[in-house]
Amino acid sequence: MPANPATDPAGRTLVGMASANAQGITLDPIDETTMVVNMGPQHPSTHGVLRLVMELDGETIVRCTPHIGYVHTGIEKTGEYQTYMKAVTITDRMDYLSAHINNLAYTLAVEKLLGIEIPPRAQALRVMLSEIQRIASHLVWLATHALDIGAMTAYFYAFRDREKLLDLTEMMSGVRLMPSWIVPGGLRGDAPDGWFERCAAVVDELPMRFREYETLLDQNPIWRERTQGVGCITVDECLNLGVSGPTLRASGMAYDVRKVAPYSGFERYDFHVPVGTFGDVYDRYRVRLAEMRQSREILKQAIETMPDGPVRVGDRKVAPPPRQELETAMEAVIHHFKLWTEGIRPPAGEAYVPVESPKGEIGFYLVSDGSNKPWRMHERPPSFMNLQALPGLCQGRLIADVVAIIGSIDIVLGEIDR
Amino acid sequence: MSDAAKPGALTDAERLQALMPQAVISIDVSAGDVRVMVRRESIVDVARLLHDDPEFLYTFFSECLGVDYLDVHTGASIQGKAHRFEVVYNLCSLQDPASGALRNRRLFLKVPVPAADPEVPSVTSVFRGAEFPEREVYDLLGIRFSGHPDLRRILMSDDWSGHPLRKDYPLGGERVQFPGGTTGPSVGECVVQHAGESFTGRTGSVLGDVE
């Protein structure tokens, strides 16, 4: 997408991260006039336990080094000791703001190993859950990002509306944040009575809420001043660094896994991929707001076209039999027992299925040795890859811009450290 | 998974083999994923060719990861592999060179790494995004990346000894490596597998306060 600075009211131009170096800021040797400032790991604006060591020349950042690993809990190692069904629950805890989408990415990889196709209703419900989760995750991003820059009101409004979306997850699974509802073979259960009506009510309300956030922020001169032209990154720099998701799209490339490699039937829904032009903090804000609107469109279509049928595959080696069968059929009892004691045994092989999470491309690289536990369970963590852009984005900027930039790349430390 | 992308990545893999026959050990296609086994001394050249060549344009560095294939009971690698580790690079070509249209062509490059000499040339000179993932592989699996600008531990603390994702590194029962730490319980003592969980009992349908 060509950038035309003449038509942009703020006079922004498309510049990459390398421009800071071009402006004559040298990195080596360390100047005696610079000062090293430590930010985090206990800092409210680092969205978790991110520690940044910044070398400053006055207020200008010469060098920024992220230090991570403070909440490393060995999730990938733990995954190797769980059966395939039990490992679903630890995927929730990686990016704890988009648990459904983590479950989905893991589940699709297991299903690829198994070579199974799940029923249409389960597919449509997976799409709905992931879009509910995407809006909820973006609302947390909006709330905390705005709070970091000093706009406190948006925080309360966004969390109020996120609660309504979490209620939908709770109604379905009984849990707000760690549902583990999407499992290999389909879903753990169907939507309860009244779920779709409640979902439709939330979907109807959302456009008004989105306008409300925009009223608070969009034309706010302070917000614009703090975000426009700050933290610019080009498409080539994003790709080279492995940056994906809204950050990549704000720079102008419409790479969305839901469009280029559709999964779970996303090709059946009509939606756009919003892109930005300047790749700055403001464009990343605009892209995410537009994405929430598109997610809402997908939800609306999914409610209208929800197919009937089962939400689990009929294969008793993958999904358990219905409860009532256990009382009459011995075979069902055996299947149930085998599934919960031994679990699924996918054939030996490797699988990776990319999925679009609110942060970017997520996927699980699974290696199976034919046993009932994954030999290797690796997550491609979008936050981890996106964090690599931070040193370049901060270089040459003022220290006050760091919180705006961290907020705009939307990281979750649970996923970075795993 | 678009069907059109599958033969595309295979075409690229075959072209890569034709251009650099000494670098490519084998090509494996399973469930639509194309995996190319590459000799480790050639990995940087292969990455550079895939990145720069106008017909490949594998410009998106998705990630890289390491896998340990050691069977701790036999001391050999599983699945009859001659090497203990593999480093997997996940590369993507997102734009069609001719039309500029978006596509999703994914190629997995795999590098075999022997246990005796766990070192791989770093691809950070081609993909800057390899910096963190290579540090992670080094930290958790102990595979060194020569030419990496800043090869330090990234997730574990700097003074940690051992590489936790190796198969011979225990889960539980190891000494806690912090001052004042104690030896934790092993997993076998804590986890009791049981049957009897069921899918019923979900809540939510009792809420019923739909307007």
Side-chain angles (χ1 to χ4, degrees):
Chain A
M1 191 167 286
N4 187 357
T7 59
D8 183 54
R12 292 176 293 165
T13 50
L14 183 66
V15 289
M17 298 191 298
S19 63
N21 289 326
Q23 283 161 12
I25 296 165
T26 50
L27 282 178
D28 289 306
I30 295 175
D31 201 302
E32 280 179 10
T33 59
T34 61
M35 181 174 75
V36 175
V37 168
N38 181 68
M39 181 173 167
Q42 309 294 340
H43 191 283
S45 296
T46 56
H47 295 228
V49 281
L50 173 67
R51 176 176 167 225
L52 298 173
V53 176
M54 288 175 293
E55 197 184 321
L56 304 176
D57 179 7
E59 264 197 276
T60 310
I61 295 160
V62 183
R63 194 206 304 259
C64 165
T65 316
H67 291 262
I68 59 174
Y70 292 93
V71 285
H72 177 59
T73 45
I75 285 180
E76 290 180 4
K77 180 87 171 176
T78 313
E80 294 171 8
Y81 288 78
Q82 307 291 328
T83 60
Y84 281 93
M85 199 64 101
K86 285 182 177 177
V88 175
T89 54
I90 56 173
T91 65
D92 292 297
R93 278 124 182 111
M94 292 179 169
D95 179 356
Y96 42 79
L97 296 179
S98 69
H100 279 307
I101 295 174
N102 296 4
N103 296 159
L104 181 60
Y106 169 76
T107 294
L108 287 174
V110 177
E111 283 169 358
K112 189 171 182 178
L113 281 173
L114 289 164
I116 56 170
E117 191 71 28
I118 66 155
R121 187 177 174 87
Q123 301 247 20
L125 279 169
R126 283 179 177 186
V127 165
M128 283 190 71
L129 289 175
S130 47
E131 293 316 305
I132 288 171
Q133 192 77 78
R134 193 180 316 278
I135 301 175
S137 172
H138 278 354
L139 286 177
V140 175
W141 155 80
L142 179 73
T144 53
H145 183 36
L147 187 68
D148 288 345
I149 305 184
M152 194 178 235
T153 316
Y155 179 88
F156 298 110
Y157 285 11
F159 265 78
R160 173 196 65 193
D161 300 328
R162 171 177 179 255
E163 207 57 35
K164 290 169 189 158
L165 294 159
L166 293 184
D167 280 349
L168 293 171
T169 298
E170 187 180 2
M171 231 175 133
M172 178 90 96
S173 66
V175 191
R176 291 165 74 243
L177 290 175
M178 309 283 161
S180 299
W181 203 247
I182 298 172
V183 289
L187 299 172
R188 284 203 197 266
D190 206 339
D193 294 341
W195 191 79
F196 290 105
E197 289 81 355
R198 190 154 167 162
C199 198
V202 174
V203 164
D204 285 342
E205 190 190 327
L206 281 174
M208 189 179 80
R209 300 303 178 200
F210 297 150
R211 278 198 299 279
E212 206 169 54
Y213 312 139
E214 279 180 339
T215 315
L216 288 169
L217 298 171
D218 231 20
Q219 299 299 325
N220 184 328
I222 303 173
W223 177 261
R224 291 194 151 213
E225 200 71 25
R226 291 293 306 274
T227 57
Q228 288 187 334
V230 174
C232 298
I233 186 167
T234 64
V235 167
D236 288 344
E237 286 168 337
C238 282
L239 295 178
N240 202 256
L241 283 165
V243 172
S244 55
T247 312
L248 172 62
R249 290 192 286 274
S251 299
M253 186 182 233
Y255 173 67
D256 187 319
V257 184
R258 291 174 296 171
K259 277 283 187 204
V260 296
Y263 52 89
S264 296
F266 265 107
E267 67 276 11
R268 285 196 286 271
Y269 304 98
D270 182 26
F271 66 102
H272 303 292
V273 180
V275 290
T277 311
F278 302 101
D280 59 1
V281 175
Y282 185 75
D283 275 10
R284 295 199 270 279
Y285 151 76
R286 291 296 311 164
V287 162
R288 288 202 183 86
L289 264 190
E291 264 183 41
M292 286 199 271
R293 290 203 162 90
Q294 295 303 320
S295 294
R296 185 242 167 214
E297 291 300 317
I298 296 172
L299 279 176
K300 199 166 183 296
Q301 292 167 40
I303 295 171
E304 283 161 7
T305 60
M306 182 55 61
D308 284 330
V311 294
R312 290 204 289 255
V313 288
D315 184 352
R316 297 282 185 260
K317 304 284 183 233
V318 177
R323 179 69 186 85
Q324 59 271 24
E325 266 184 41
L326 290 177
E327 287 160 14
T328 52
M330 189 59 203
E331 205 180 30
V333 178
I334 294 168
H335 275 133
H336 187 273
F337 180 77
K338 288 289 276 182
L339 205 54
W340 293 116
T341 51
E342 191 182 309
I344 314 166
R345 282 180 182 271
E350 292 162 44
Y352 176 86
V353 183
V355 165
E356 187 70 28
S357 99
K359 317 290 185 295
E361 177 194 314
I362 188 177
F364 280 80
Y365 198 93
L366 290 181
V367 179
S368 165
D369 63 337
S371 74
N372 61 347
K373 290 167 186 166
W375 181 262
R376 176 85 168 93
M377 181 181 117
H378 172 82
E379 183 209 16
R380 184 215 184 261
S383 296
F384 181 75
M385 300 301 285
N386 291 359
L387 182 68
Q388 295 193 88
L390 188 66
L393 288 170
C394 291
Q395 210 177 73
R397 301 297 317 181
L398 298 178
I399 192 158
D401 292 333
V402 172
V403 288
I405 292 168
I406 295 175
S408 76
I409 56 172
D410 192 16
I411 49 170
V412 164
L413 269 293
E415 179 178 69
I416 290 172
D417 293 346
R418 284 158 287 142
Chain B
M1 288 158 281
S2 65
D3 290 329
K6 289 168 189 171
L10 186 58
T11 317
D12 286 346
E14 282 161 355
R15 181 161 169 258
L16 176 70
Q17 193 172 30
L19 288 172
M20 298 183 78
Q22 76 291 350
V24 176
I25 301 169
S26 62
I27 297 174
D28 165 51
V29 184
S30 62
D33 285 342
V34 182
R35 298 191 183 82
V36 183
M37 194 71 98
V38 176
R39 272 179 227 289
R40 64 173 164 162
E41 55 272 20
S42 315
I43 181 64
V44 180
D45 294 334
V46 168
R48 185 165 286 125
L49 179 72
L50 287 171
H51 178 273
D52 293 346
D53 189 287
E55 285 181 49
F56 284 136
L57 285 182
Y58 280 81
T59 49
F60 179 49
F61 182 81
S62 184
E63 64 163 348
C64 73
L65 65 135
V67 186
D68 182 1
Y69 284 101
L70 176 77
D71 182 344
V72 286
H73 302 297
T74 63
S77 298
I78 62 160
Q79 298 169 356
K81 288 181 191 288
H83 45 273
R84 177 173 171 184
F85 301 106
E86 273 176 16
V87 176
V88 186
Y89 299 84
N90 179 349
L91 304 180
C92 252
S93 176
L94 299 184
Q95 253 173 331
D96 188 74
S99 65
L102 284 180
R103 64 175 181 182
N104 189 44
R105 247 180 214 197
R106 201 172 283 271
L107 208 52
F108 295 93
L109 303 179
K110 295 173 75 173
V111 175
V113 186
D117 173 29
E119 184 154 330
V120 180
S122 167
V123 298
T124 43
S125 57
V126 186
F127 295 106
R128 278 173 58 207
E131 192 181 327
F132 276 20
E134 285 185 350
R135 276 177 69 185
E136 184 189 315
V137 174
Y138 161 68
D139 187 3
L140 300 180
L141 280 162
I143 298 170
R144 300 190 61 83
F145 290 88
S146 53
H148 190 285
D150 185 23
L151 194 66
R152 288 179 292 127
R153 286 188 180 270
I154 187 165
L155 296 179
M156 307 302 287
S157 60
D158 290 342
D159 53 355
W160 195 266
S161 61
H163 302 285
L165 266 185
R166 288 192 171 190
K167 288 288 177 184
D168 49 7
Y169 193 97
L171 179 75
E174 78 272 33
R175 288 203 67 80
V176 178
Q177 296 182 25
F178 292 112
T182 57
T183 304
S186 73
V187 169
E189 293 163 18
C190 294
V191 178
V192 182
Q193 293 204 337
H194 58 92
E197 294 165 25
S198 83
F199 279 148
T200 55
R202 65 189 148 84
T203 62
S205 51
V206 292
L207 287 173
D209 55 336
V210 179
E211 279 115 32

